[in-house]
Amino acid sequence: MSFKIAIVGATGNVGREMIEILHERGFPASTVVPLASRRSLGQEVSYGDKTLKVQALENYDFSDTDICLMSAGGSVSKEWSPKIGKKGCVVIDNSSAFRYDSDVPLIVPEVNADAIVGFTKKNIIANPNCSTAQLVVALKPLHDFAIIKRIVVSTYQSVSGAGKDAMDELFAQTRSVYVGDTFDESKKFTKRIAFNVIPHIDEFMEDGSTKEEWKVSAETKKMLDPKIKVTCTAVRVPVFISHAEAVNIEFENEITADQAREILREAPGCLVVDNPAENSYVTPIEAAGEDATFISRIREDSTLDNGLNMWIVSDNLRKGAALNTVQIAEVLVNRKLITPKAQAAA
């Protein structure tokens, strides 16, 4: 079976990554259609050794399309995803527009693939926030073993999470430092990002938390367990790709660092790199371009009865966005939850 796939936001960082991953993983696509706004009409994107021309979202008819990978931001998704779903095309949305809708499953395949069956209510499936995706991949097998009570997360998030303009801003500011130029005013961030860290991602809420911090809590509860207490501080760092997280976990039941390593070594999507004697741990540079969620610095927390600390790193453009979206599409196909429209019409 082969499926007709549309990618909305195909000219952005994540959209291009989605197209590349579809080809890398041999997704059974008969046709791949890149879509974007009118201003991107006619631009070209690569799909394996093919070059595809971008079409305008406004003019595209989804009635013969099976799956739409949506990566054009929340406002576009809110307007278009319900319309596309009503055409019988399943939308896998990378924005936050539908993550907290009780009729829309929020999916990380290694964590809660069975929840995907709920997509039939609206023909929409939500992809989680990039920092949440890598977190729950590492937490799920540990929760199954010892039951997590509380987690404290500090994120170190790369600028690619804020888009291509944010990456350009980091590059330009870093260059200015080296050549002694004056700085242009920061546009994507509230403070200078080059050689700096900013404890502010997304807008502030009434309780003093940012929306990004709230997302980590709300999404972890929806996918993993609503009883888990989650507190988060989200920080933007001057790194181009990959998010890192320092995580403190309190469990109901006993678990040792050695047990955690063994569990995570066997867990889907996880790769343990953890040998302090040889300075063996993963940093954002090493995770860039990789599919795995890397876990390092696993150690027991002596201040808790059943506590662990760990360091989690993953490519936010891949597992945090594009890869997870494609994996969701693979679950739809592998579980035979959808049939190609072309085949059904034949």
Side-chain angles (χ1 to χ4, degrees), residues 49-84:
D49 57 2
K50 298 178 182 178
T51 299
L52 308 178
K53 284 196 177 293
V54 175
Q55 301 180 36
L57 169 61
E58 295 89 339
N59 300 332
Y60 186 73
D61 182 1
F62 285 89
S63 58
D64 67 345
T65 302
D66 300 299
I67 301 172
C68 172
L69 309 183
M70 175 72 68
S71 186
S75 59
V76 173
S77 181
K78 283 179 182 177
E79 177 184 356
W80 283 94
S81 291
K83 297 177 185 177
I84 296 168

Side-chain angles (χ1 to χ4, degrees), residues 187-221:
K187 296 176 182 177
K188 291 297 296 184
F189 302 110
T190 56
K191 308 277 186 178
R192 189 184 101 180
I193 186 60
F195 302 96
N196 198 18
V197 297
I198 305 172
H200 178 187
I201 301 177
D202 212 325
E203 62 190 31
F204 279 104
M205 303 174 71
E206 288 186 4
D207 68 352
S209 299
T210 64
K211 190 73 177 290
E212 182 79 3
E213 293 157 354
W214 176 82
K215 289 175 188 176
V216 171
S217 176
E219 294 171 19
T220 299
K221 289 172 179 288

Side-chain angles (χ1 to χ4, degrees), residues 242-283:
S242 298
H243 292 349
E245 297 167 342
V247 186
N248 177 266
I249 314 166
E250 182 180 1
F251 296 88
E252 283 191 17
N253 302 316
E254 184 178 352
I255 182 172
T256 66
D258 285 340
Q259 286 174 320
R261 287 188 196 93
E262 290 306 310
I263 291 166
L264 291 168
R265 285 191 180 108
E266 300 297 321
C270 295
L271 188 58
V272 176
V273 180
D274 188 22
N275 186 351
E278 297 181 2
N279 295 327
S280 179
Y281 47 80
V282 172
T283 63

